[in-house]
Amino acid sequence: MILPPATLGMLGGGQLGRFFVMAAHEMGYQVVVLDPDTNSPAGKIADRHLCAAYDDQDALNVLAETCAAVTTEFENVPADTLAYLAKFVPVRPGAEAVAICQNRMKEKGFLKANGLPHGPYAEIHKEEDLKTCDGALFPAILKVARFGYDGKGQARVVNREEAIVAFQGFKHEACVLEAMLPLDYEVSVVLARSASGEIKYFPVAENQHTRGILDVSIVPARASGCMMGDAQEVAATVAAKMNYIGTLGVEFFVTRGQLVVNEMAPRPHNSGHYTLDACVTDQYEQQVRALCDLPLGDASAHSAAVMVNILGDIWFLDDSHHAKEPDWAKLYAVPNLKLHLYGKHHARPGRKMGHFTVIGNDAAEVQATALAARSAIGIRD
Ligand code: ADP
Ligand code: MG
């Protein structure tokens, strides 16, 4: 067991890393963050911010020398970085699991190889693959295999011709072509898995996306108990097959009543932000616990919750060129609403700037309050 006041390493300095730092600090640990951005949300509050690239040898050596264990908040950390650090300290999740989750092609291959449910897709390496792939995949979504996020690196295409144009737009980078599925709804499972293989699930969230970015998460999800149990079981298999240690997010589509895995995130997940305010243990504390080999905490929820993402768009409601701070007083007026802002210096449309969670006993009331607050602050459908 790694106990306080040990120092923990965090690869990535975004909001997920920031919440990890907060959890670790509350628990008595110190944190070193590696992120190339001088103003990274986690780097600003860490005990030490190594402002360097993810493959900077000197920075990696500092992590290896000063940290008792290292984790990540960002799936695009080079797998070589994780493998290098693992020679000196425990790295959780490990390089192999991250390598699968950071590449859509590997991810789909992993699901297929393990008999886990996934949608129809084709691997696209060259234009020819778009001419010969199964025509039944259209209408489809072409997604770059690496470095896509929040709907970036994705194109919706109705036929082969459009797909070829999109592929050219992506500079012939390796892609997956996914059949566009009719979605009943989307859910996610966030779980934590310890080194001993113990798993604790957070309650399943129902996720609503707007323009390809998570907008609202609702807990409990409006799905049957059976569907949620199946989703948790699939997520547990994903974690076990990857020998995963840490907090894992698994996104699902429910299409024509069937569950399929959309993608996995080797880190806490945006749809698990609600655990900060509605669960006995949140997903970040659970990440610390798994990293340090502490027993996992109770992941149950004490409240119903609705989480709303705050994107940079609402800084530009009046004027598309000049950012204006949203009127936070409108949110602070709601007594059962918890606002979290990430301390990012510049707002941009589509950039995740913060979120809020409404909690309470009555799921319908919580939802109504959250949606009213969402429109009061200017978030549009
Ligand atoms: P990201 O990495 O940006 O989260 P996703 O692959 O999860 O990318 O896509 C974002 C959202 O776009 C999904 O949550 C879903 O709403 C929609 N989407 C993605 N792929 C499909 C698909 N094959 N069929 C239908 N909707 C999809
Ligand atoms: Mg996604």
Side-chain angles (χ1 to χ4, degrees), residues 91 164 290:
V91 176
I164 289 169

Side-chain angles (χ1 to χ4, degrees), residues 10-12 54 70-86 91-108 110 145-147 238-239 241-249 263-268 287 291:
M10 168 52 78
L11 302 171
Y54 293 114
V70 174
T71 188
T72 176
E73 61 108 43
F74 174 58
E75 60 267 38
N76 291 322
V77 168
D80 285 351
T81 289
L82 301 175
Y84 177 74
L85 289 171
V91 176
R92 298 166 166 171
E96 230 171 290
V98 175
I100 293 168
C101 300
Q102 70 185 193
N103 183 315
R104 292 188 193 276
M105 215 174 272
K106 280 194 187 160
E107 193 171 49
K108 292 269 196 288
F110 167 87
R146 291 214 54 191
F147 302 115
V238 167
K241 295 278 182 193
M242 291 195 299
N243 213 356
Y244 195 89
I245 305 172
T247 297
L248 172 74
E263 59 171 352
M264 291 99 74
R267 49 168 171 77
Q287 185 180 17
L291 179 63

Side-chain angles (χ1 to χ4, degrees), residues 8-253:
L8 308 176
M10 168 52 78
L11 302 171
Q15 61 270 17
L16 303 175
R18 182 177 169 99
F19 286 120
F20 173 90
V21 173
M22 290 176 179
H25 279 170
E26 280 195 345
M27 297 167 78
Y29 295 92
Q30 303 173 72
V31 186
V32 180
V33 166
L34 173 62
D35 188 299
D37 176 0
T38 44
N39 284 317
S40 77
K44 285 202 294 192
I45 64 163
D47 298 275
R48 183 166 177 194
H49 176 197
L50 300 169
C51 190
Y54 293 114
D55 57 359
D56 184 291
Q57 200 58 46
D58 293 336
L60 297 185
N61 288 334
V62 172
L63 284 171
E65 282 158 22
T66 58
C67 297
V70 174
T71 188
T72 176
E73 61 108 43
F74 174 58
E75 60 267 38
N76 291 322
V77 168
D80 285 351
T81 289
L82 301 175
Y84 177 74
L85 289 171
K87 291 190 211 164
F88 309 99
V89 287
V91 176
R92 298 166 166 171
E96 230 171 290
V98 175
I100 293 168
C101 300
Q102 70 185 193
N103 183 315
R104 292 188 193 276
M105 215 174 272
K106 280 194 187 160
E107 193 171 49
K108 292 269 196 288
F110 167 87
L111 295 170
K112 200 166 167 180
N114 288 291
L116 294 164
H118 56 86
Y121 76 100
E123 294 191 359
I124 308 299
H125 299 275
K126 49 187 191 313
E127 268 184 46
E128 191 61 22
D129 297 333
L130 286 167
K131 292 178 184 151
T132 55
C133 68
D134 186 353
L137 289 171
F138 294 101
I141 307 192
L142 187 70
K143 301 180 180 178
V144 292
R146 291 214 54 191
F147 302 115
Y149 70 100
D150 289 346
K152 293 191 179 72
Q154 300 193 5
R156 298 183 177 217
V157 292
V158 300
N159 54 34
R160 292 182 200 278
E161 292 69 42
E162 279 190 23
I164 289 169
V165 172
F167 187 56
Q168 289 165 349
F170 294 149
K171 309 267 184 290
H172 293 89
E173 255 183 71
C175 287
V176 294
L177 183 74
E178 295 182 21
M180 178 71 93
L181 298 170
L183 304 186
D184 305 340
Y185 53 93
E186 296 183 62
V187 295
S188 58
V189 173
V190 177
L191 61 75
R193 186 172 181 275
S194 69
S196 65
E198 182 200 8
I199 287 180
K200 295 262 184 176
Y201 306 96
F202 291 102
V204 176
E206 177 184 340
N207 302 317
Q208 296 173 354
H209 295 78
T210 300
R211 289 174 281 280
I213 307 180
L214 182 65
D215 183 358
V216 176
S217 291
I218 301 169
V219 182
R222 292 168 296 184
S224 71
C226 179
M227 183 73 79
M228 296 200 271
D230 287 352
Q232 288 179 327
E233 204 178 304
V234 171
T237 306
V238 167
K241 295 278 182 193
M242 291 195 299
N243 213 356
Y244 195 89
I245 305 172
T247 297
L248 172 74
V250 182
E251 299 178 13
F252 291 88
F253 297 144

